[in-house]
Amino acid sequence: MLRWLLGFVLPTAACQDAEPSTRYETLFQVLDRNGDGVVDIGELQEGLKNLGIPLGQDAEEKIFTTGDVNKDGKLDFEEFMKYLKDHEKKMKLAFKSLDKNNDGKIEASEIVQSLQTLGLTISEKQAELILQSIDADGTMTVDWTEWRDYFLFNPATDIEEIIRFWKHSTGIDIGDSLTIPDEFTEDEKKSGQWWRQLLAGGIAGAVSRTSTAPLDRLKIMMQVHGSKSDKMNIFGGFRQMVKEGGIRSLWRGNGTNVIKIAPETAVKFWAYEQYKKLLTEEGQKVGTFERFISGSMAGATAQTFIYPMEVMKTRLAVGKTGQYSGIYNCAKKILKHEGVGAFYKGYVPNLLGIIPYAGIDLAVYELLKSYWLDNFAKDSVNPGVVVLLGCGALSSTCGQLASYPLALVRTRMQAQAMLEGSPQLNMVGLFRRIISKEGIPGLYRGITPNFMKVLPAVGISYVVYENMKQTLGVTQK
């Protein structure tokens, strides 16, 4: 990346031996295309693009806003030099954090060790691919000069930010509530970026869930009523719902599904931070295992808090036209006729479903990441948007597949009081009844519309999330 720029502007030896101010001055002259002594955002973007190192609009704007101390919309040489000096100090700390044996060089084994402490497990072969993209002299080690030159214009300030593109994204919502929360850096927490990202993710989730609500309601109807007749298929289910309540009925229960996003996200994020503190010592990085346990416990805590809304969502989705006038009316009728305990029907299978979902989701994501790094990472370890979305969607789908029988039993327990002549069975009793009457396939009724909504949900939530981040002023790490 910047190695090419430095080779273009100065001979390599001169670059390594030159005083920092000389290097900065030469770089500044290259970027100051009109020679007026200042660099504006257009010149920075155009200069980096022409020199073969475009970073993307968000990263370039972050460099500019950080460096522009007097906020006049331009970088003079003093501001430019101060930004690069400050950035070099941060990158020096990142370099030292990787250089475990303090020999002035980063080796593949040190990258493996360091990324493990950040919750990312990679092989030594994959670490060598990372080294190759930075190593200028072919020694399969990276010294400080190579590291500095490679990351000089990268706005990331520490090693955690550099590898953050392999973290799950908060903005991807496929309609489930069992995903492990995203990680936020200390800088994001202090600057308030964390709540903007959560808000952007919440809005993206609301739009995504509303867009795919007809498929979600069809899934619930097939889970609850599918056992009555094998004839309920996708087209028949849609036809039956429209005939009974019109087009609007396809969105029945969606309001509750959207409303619960805010409290669930807030409780899950707060609980996740608390559990991480309990499981790790002060200053210790969160590993994959700690992240899995903390995320699962946070999910269980959030589900406990908002579970009555899950029950109401199912009742509204299964209910007939006129049975409930809204969320409040539904809650009042459940309380009056069934008592407080009805709001937690199906709670146990729901809680048990968190472990296989979160565990398999995380394991498959790590597996896909490793496969991509082994087979496709050549010049960069950054996979790009399409690969990340694909890995996220596939890992979440595998998690859903593993926990689906528990989700189906949960839904039937939530709705069985509405079914005339249906016995009120517990979790074990329902499992036995389904297997004896419908066989193993009975545990997967409704899974087709569930899978059908994954791709549109991922696509819609990603587009809305990225647009909301821009609107809310979230800077890209």
Side-chain angles (χ1 to χ4, degrees):
M1 190 170 86
L2 193 60
R3 175 169 71 241
W4 191 91
L5 168 61
L6 293 174
F8 178 84
V9 176
L10 293 169
T12 303
C15 252
Q16 292 172 355
D17 298 335
E19 289 295 320
S21 57
T22 306
R23 287 191 292 108
Y24 300 153
E25 188 174 359
T26 306
L27 290 172
F28 186 80
Q29 289 171 358
V30 171
L31 295 173
D32 181 18
R33 300 177 66 78
N34 59 9
D36 63 353
V38 291
V39 174
D40 59 28
I41 184 65
E43 285 179 311
L44 179 66
Q45 292 173 332
E46 188 66 24
L48 294 178
K49 181 180 177 182
N50 289 341
L51 291 165
I53 50 171
L55 301 175
Q57 185 176 347
D58 289 338
E60 290 159 350
E61 286 179 356
K62 183 179 179 183
I63 292 173
F64 197 81
T65 53
T66 304
D68 185 16
V69 178
N70 60 12
K71 306 302 177 188
D72 64 350
K74 298 174 182 177
L75 289 178
D76 58 32
F77 178 64
E78 292 299 320
E79 290 174 323
F80 181 76
M81 186 167 69
K82 183 180 185 304
Y83 170 79
L84 291 183
K85 277 186 175 180
D86 290 344
H87 188 65
E88 273 198 24
K89 289 176 185 175
K90 293 172 184 175
M91 294 317 300
K92 187 76 171 179
L93 292 174
F95 181 83
K96 286 182 176 179
S97 73
L98 282 173
D99 184 18
K100 300 295 183 184
N101 59 7
N102 296 315
D103 65 350
K105 294 179 290 188
I106 297 172
E107 300 163 359
S109 59
E110 291 173 321
I111 290 180
V112 172
Q113 184 183 349
S114 295
L115 294 194
Q116 279 178 340
T117 65
L118 297 174
L120 288 174
T121 305
I122 64 171
S123 66
E124 195 146 330
K125 180 183 175 184
Q126 293 163 353
E128 288 172 0
L129 290 171
I130 296 175
L131 281 179
Q132 282 176 4
S133 66
I134 306 173
D135 180 25
D137 55 15
T139 59
M140 286 309 295
T141 60
V142 172
D143 59 25
W144 161 239
T145 302
E146 291 171 319
W147 177 268
R148 177 201 65 202
D149 291 351
Y150 188 86
F151 287 110
L152 189 57
F153 273 123
N154 192 310
T157 55
D158 58 36
I159 188 62
E160 187 168 359
E161 288 184 17
I162 291 167
I163 53 87
R164 267 179 63 81
F165 45 67
W166 268 116
K167 297 287 188 185
H168 266 304
S169 174
T170 306
I172 306 306
D173 186 304
I174 63 171
D176 61 77
S177 307
L178 307 180
T179 50
I180 290 176
D182 204 357
E183 296 282 344
F184 293 106
T185 63
E186 288 304 314
D187 182 55
E188 286 172 328
K189 291 174 185 175
K190 290 175 184 176
S191 66
Q193 293 290 324
W194 67 272
W195 70 260
R196 292 186 178 91
Q197 288 190 46
L198 287 179
L199 178 58
I203 294 171
V207 175
S208 171
R209 292 183 186 195
T210 301
S211 302
T212 58
L215 285 167
D216 194 54
R217 190 185 175 213
L218 177 62
K219 176 196 74 175
I220 294 172
M221 294 293 283
M222 291 178 75
Q223 286 177 332
V224 174
H225 296 299
S227 59
K228 287 187 175 181
S229 170
D230 290 330
K231 293 179 181 178
M232 179 176 275
N233 54 30
I234 293 172
F235 298 108
F238 274 126
R239 190 165 57 245
Q240 185 178 321
M241 288 190 293
V242 172
K243 183 179 179 181
E244 190 275 329
I247 296 293
R248 285 185 62 186
S249 71
L250 297 178
W251 278 266
R252 200 173 285 166
N254 181 61
T256 311
N257 200 29
V258 169
I259 290 170
K260 72 185 178 73
I261 292 175
E264 183 177 24
T265 302
V267 172
K268 188 187 284 188
F269 176 68
W270 173 82
Y272 184 54
E273 293 299 314
Q274 303 311 309
Y275 290 130
K276 280 197 301 182
K277 289 176 184 176
L278 287 173
L279 292 172
T280 56
E281 296 179 8
E282 190 173 351
Q284 181 184 344
K285 294 292 183 182
V286 181
T288 303
F289 178 73
E290 289 82 8
R291 185 166 184 257
F292 166 62
I293 297 298
S294 300
S296 298
M297 292 171 69
T301 303
Q303 282 289 296
T304 302
F305 185 78
I306 59 96
Y307 193 76
M309 298 183 78
E310 293 277 4
V311 174
M312 287 188 284
K313 170 202 162 187
T314 299
R315 294 291 181 93
L316 287 164
V318 176
K320 296 178 180 178
T321 302
Q323 188 170 355
Y324 302 115
S325 60
I327 299 171
Y328 176 72
N329 180 256
C330 178
K332 192 166 70 172
K333 285 186 176 180
I334 293 172
L335 188 62
K336 181 180 178 180
H337 297 293
E338 302 171 58
V340 177
F343 288 108
Y344 281 88
K345 285 186 176 179
Y347 176 74
V348 173
N350 183 69
L351 212 59
L352 293 175
I354 291 173
I355 302 299
Y357 182 98
I360 289 173
D361 180 26
L362 205 57
V364 172
Y365 191 79
E366 290 294 314
L367 187 67
L368 293 171
K369 177 200 73 179
S370 296
Y371 181 80
W372 188 90
L373 286 171
D374 277 336
N375 294 279
F376 301 103
K378 291 184 173 63
D379 299 323
S380 171
V381 292
N382 188 336
V385 171
V386 175
V387 174
L388 281 179
L389 288 181
C391 289
L394 189 54
S395 64
S396 296
T397 300
C398 291
Q400 283 186 337
L401 188 63
S403 62
Y404 194 83
L406 286 162
L408 181 137
V409 169
R410 174 204 67 195
T411 303
R412 287 207 185 172
M413 289 181 72
Q414 290 171 343
Q416 62 185 352
M418 301 174 69
L419 306 177
E420 294 180 13
S422 176
Q424 302 297 296
L425 301 173
N426 59 19
M427 181 181 73
V428 176
L430 256 178
F431 265 116
R432 285 176 176 167
R433 182 183 175 87
I434 292 169
I435 291 172
S436 65
K437 289 186 173 293
E438 307 167 49
I440 297 297
L443 295 173
Y444 288 89
R445 290 192 184 276
I447 200 166
T448 302
N450 188 64
F451 284 166
M452 283 173 66
K453 72 175 186 174
V454 170
L455 286 179
V458 167
I460 292 166
S461 60
Y462 176 76
V463 171
V464 175
Y465 180 62
E466 291 300 314
N467 280 282
M468 285 308 305
K469 281 204 301 182
Q470 289 185 9
T471 303
L472 294 170
V474 177
T475 54
Q476 184 68 37
K477 294 296 182 186

